[in-house]
Amino acid sequence: MDYTFDPTIPIESAPTPPSSWYTDPGVFAAEKRQVFEKAWIAVGRSDQLSTPGSYFTGNLVGNPYLVLRDEAGDLRAMHNVCRHHAAVVAQESGRACELVCPYHGWTYHLNGRLKRAPRMGKMSDFNVQ
Ligand code: FES
């Protein structure tokens, strides 16, 4: 069977896509742009986060994410990256009342807002808010 890609073949009679679609960096970049960066992507179920503070983490096409249930019971999804020097803040899954970056201790509310930034108090134009 010939697996050469022919864009003129109707999808209902097309063969399996060429293997290069699974290995070509250009195809991957196009998928990121056209699929993963344009739409919401399901990464879990709400019942995985049944209690306030419960969370899970993952990585979607190179972007670490964090999904959690906040104190008010709302589901939140955000980048799992510290504002300071981009360290990954939360690991795997669990339960937390705040999020503490393991690198320098910057601490975040469960809604993602910065709560404390240790050793930044002497910076003249730095505001935790
Ligand atoms: S990178 Fe997170 S506190 Fe510095």
Side-chain angles (χ1 to χ4, degrees), residues 5 8 10 43 50-51 59 72 80 85-86 88 104 116-118 120 126:
F5 177 66
T8 64
V43 295
S50 57
T51 55
N59 190 301
N80 187 13
H85 288 304
V88 169
H104 305 103
R116 286 187 301 276
M120 293 298 289
F126 181 81

Side-chain angles (χ1 to χ4, degrees), residues 19-56:
S19 61
S20 64
W21 286 19
Y22 301 99
T23 58
D24 184 326
V27 172
F28 182 52
E31 280 184 335
K32 284 169 62 175
R33 269 192 324 275
Q34 298 301 319
V35 178
F36 293 103
E37 295 174 1
K38 284 197 169 179
W40 289 97
I41 305 292
V43 295
R45 301 179 323 273
S46 62
D47 66 355
Q48 290 176 266
L49 304 172
S50 57
T51 55
S54 56
Y55 70 88
F56 65 84

Side-chain angles (χ1 to χ4, degrees), residues 82 84-87 101 103-106:
C82 182
H84 187 214
H85 288 304
C101 179
Y103 201 9
H104 305 103
W106 283 30

